[in-house]
Amino acid sequence: MRLDIYRRAEHDGLYSYLAVPEGKPIPQEAISTDWQAASLALEVDDGADALPDFHIERPYQQIGAKGYAITSVKDM
C-alpha cells in the first residue's frame, strides 16, 4: 500500500506524523492547518506492524479504524 505521510512540529524539535492512504484527504477530525507533507506516495509493506521512521504503531489497524494513523503519544 502507498501512504501519504504528513508531519507537524511539536516541542523540542520533535515531530508527530500522520499517515493516510495515498491521495486520500486528512479526515476531518485530524484536520489541522499545520500538517505539512513529509513523504508522499510512500510504499509500505501491507504486513507492516509499525512505521519506525515516523513513530507510528499498527498503521493498518489505525487506518482501518479511523481512516488515518498517527504517531503514538508515548513516543513523543
Side-chain angles (χ1 to χ4, degrees):
M1 176 183 272
R2 291 164 65 112
L3 300 175
D4 291 337
I5 309 287
Y6 299 90
R7 74 179 189 174
R8 177 177 64 192
E10 298 291 347
H11 55 83
D12 298 328
L14 298 175
Y15 290 92
S16 58
Y17 294 91
L18 178 102
V20 295
E22 179 185 26
K24 297 280 185 180
I26 296 171
Q28 193 65 31
E29 67 269 17
I31 284 288
S32 176
T33 57
D34 57 355
W35 287 113
Q36 298 176 343
S39 183
L40 301 177
L42 177 70
E43 187 69 41
V44 177
D45 178 23
D46 289 342
D49 290 333
L51 303 175
D53 291 344
F54 307 108
H55 307 284
I56 296 175
E57 298 175 4
R58 301 179 321 278
Y60 294 109
Q61 288 177 340
Q62 289 191 59
I63 289 169
K66 55 191 173 188
Y68 62 92
I70 195 161
T71 298
S72 172
V73 175
K74 72 176 187 158
D75 290 330
M76 295 305 303

